[in-house]
Amino acid sequence: MPDRTLETFFAFFTEIGIIEQLSRALLEARLPHGFLVSHFSVLNHLIRVQDGQTPLVLARAFQVPKTTMTHTLAVLEKHGLVEMRPNPDDKRSKRVWITATGRAFRDDAIAELLPDIERLRHRIDPAHLAQMTPGLEEVRVALDRDRDDPAR
Amino acid sequence: MPDRTLETFFAFFTEIGIIEQLSRALLEARLPHGFLVSHFSVLNHLIRVQDGQTPLVLARAFQVPKTTMTHTLAVLEKHGLVEMRPNPDDKRSKRVWITATGRAFRDDAIAELLPDIERLRHRIDPAHLAQMTPGLEEVRVALDRDRDDPAR
DNA sequence: CATATATAGTACGATATCGCACCAATCAAC
DNA sequence: GTTGATTGGTGCGATATCGTACTATATATG
């Protein structure tokens, strides 16, 4: 491996980690008291990707143990933000559906972020972000594929 | 605010969040059993930025409550990876120093990542990462400044 | 179809993270 | 200097996250 490859990867992921921490704090500050980014993220995923998925599929998507997802979904269900229905194709499993309340919760959270975005757009050029996003997408897809099949 | 600004920010930070989850899982899998990325990150920060900082400064750097940092540092100290010494300038506070063992722990963890990097460099062009990193740095710095002084 | 193995989900205990309340030291105002 | 407000750190209880072990169902093998 060329000498600088490790440093290159490490520097990249260090920046990713710090930005994630800072942006997570921004979002969490806007969520209703008691809710965490983990709750929001699951709702967002159910909308962004697809609802009706099983808890295990969600756990894999978020790289968390299935016990963690069981717990997160239980909280969301307790608040009526998702519905768990039996999976007719497999009696062991369930399917997770986002409710109208859940959609509203997610949309409200995003709306609450508007003042932050309004402030940040003076410091960070949106065009700059838009320019970087496809590159990040490629990295995300590559990491996803690597996780699914580390051998290849 | 132009219509697409919110979407642009949201898409960017969504990718950041997913990449962070995936890379965190890669690192955590290589850490000695029982250690988490939070432990590694503090050690890395003490080396990357500077050691001898106070727990509160570290807590702010990581955007975590000071109680969390107290706990993390206690674990690191219990394992001899950091040393807490009184701060002569302020008798309320302490200063955190990384030990030789702590440096070795961090270096070992990075070395353990080499097989992952070797695998990933076939999926992700290091030059591509290197090209994006300065842009990410700018975003990180902007978020940092915003946190320190949201008004300006 | 009987049995072995694999998979989906949960129960439970351990550690991590967090918010609140508190103490000690420092700083600010006078 | 005295007093009030602020700051650095910790104790404690609540929730989050995680690993291990378990049950129920599904799949594979003969």
Side-chain angles (χ1 to χ4, degrees):
Chain A
M1 190 188 316
D3 269 3
R4 306 294 306 165
T5 303
L6 175 60
E7 284 79 0
T8 300
F9 272 82
F10 202 65
F12 176 83
F13 286 120
T14 298
E15 292 300 335
I16 292 282
I18 298 174
I19 293 173
E20 195 276 340
Q21 285 165 346
L22 294 168
S23 62
R24 160 179 298 256
L26 281 175
L27 172 55
E28 212 142 83
R30 297 299 185 184
L31 292 180
H33 188 268
F35 287 96
L36 303 178
V37 171
S38 54
H39 305 130
F40 174 86
S41 299
V42 169
L43 294 179
N44 195 46
H45 184 88
L46 291 174
I47 291 175
R48 192 178 63 89
V49 181
Q50 176 89 49
D51 66 345
Q53 300 185 54
T54 70
L56 189 56
V57 168
L58 291 172
R60 286 187 181 133
F62 285 97
Q63 280 291 90
V64 299
K66 53 188 182 172
T67 53
T68 301
M69 190 51 64
T70 297
H71 180 77
T72 304
L73 291 172
V75 171
L76 292 175
E77 191 178 28
K78 193 182 66 182
H79 289 91
L81 305 179
V82 301
E83 258 183 40
M84 313 277 282
R85 299 188 214 146
N87 181 352
D89 299 343
D90 186 337
K91 291 182 180 176
R92 291 171 302 182
S93 79
K94 303 175 173 179
R95 288 177 177 277
V96 184
W97 304 89
I98 189 166
T99 64
T101 311
R103 284 179 191 275
F105 180 99
R106 181 258 196 180
D107 291 343
D108 286 351
I110 293 179
E112 291 292 327
L113 278 172
L114 280 175
D116 295 311
I117 304 297
E118 175 58 30
R119 202 179 61 242
L120 284 172
R121 59 188 287 267
H122 299 300
R123 297 183 184 270
I124 305 173
D125 180 6
H128 184 205
L129 294 187
Q131 189 191 342
M132 283 188 282
T133 302
L136 293 176
E137 238 178 273
E138 285 174 37
V139 173
R140 185 250 298 169
V141 169
L143 288 172
D144 249 329
R145 288 198 181 126
D146 177 72
R147 179 193 49 170
D148 292 342
D149 185 6
R152 186 162 9 118
Chain B
M1 190 187 317
D3 270 1
R4 305 295 307 163
T5 303
L6 173 61
E7 284 78 0
T8 301
F9 272 82
F10 202 66
F12 176 83
F13 287 120
T14 298
E15 293 299 336
I16 292 281
I18 299 173
I19 293 173
E20 195 276 340
Q21 284 165 346
L22 294 168
S23 62
R24 159 178 299 255
L26 280 176
L27 172 55
E28 211 141 84
R30 297 301 185 185
L31 292 181
H33 188 267
F35 288 96
L36 303 178
V37 170
S38 54
H39 304 130
F40 173 86
S41 300
V42 169
L43 294 179
N44 194 47
H45 184 89
L46 291 174
I47 291 174
R48 192 178 64 89
V49 181
Q50 176 88 51
D51 66 346
Q53 301 185 54
T54 69
L56 189 56
V57 168
L58 291 172
R60 285 186 183 136
F62 285 98
Q63 281 288 92
V64 299
K66 52 189 181 171
T67 52
T68 301
M69 190 51 63
T70 297
H71 180 77
T72 304
L73 292 172
V75 170
L76 292 174
E77 191 177 29
K78 194 183 65 182
H79 288 91
L81 305 179
V82 301
E83 258 183 40
M84 312 277 282
R85 299 190 215 144
N87 182 353
D89 299 343
D90 186 337
K91 292 182 179 174
R92 290 171 302 184
S93 79
K94 302 176 174 178
R95 288 176 178 279
V96 184
W97 304 89
I98 188 166
T99 64
T101 311
R103 284 178 192 276
F105 180 99
R106 181 257 196 180
D107 292 342
D108 286 352
I110 293 178
E112 291 292 329
L113 278 172
L114 281 174
D116 295 311
I117 305 298
E118 174 57 32
R119 203 178 61 241
L120 284 172
R121 59 190 285 269
H122 299 300
R123 296 183 185 271
I124 304 173
D125 180 5
H128 185 205
L129 294 187
Q131 190 193 341
M132 283 188 282
T133 302
L136 293 176
E137 239 177 272
E138 286 175 37
V139 173
R140 186 250 299 169
V141 168
L143 288 171
D144 249 328
R145 289 200 179 123
D146 178 72
R147 180 193 47 169
D148 292 342
D149 185 6
R152 191 167 358 130

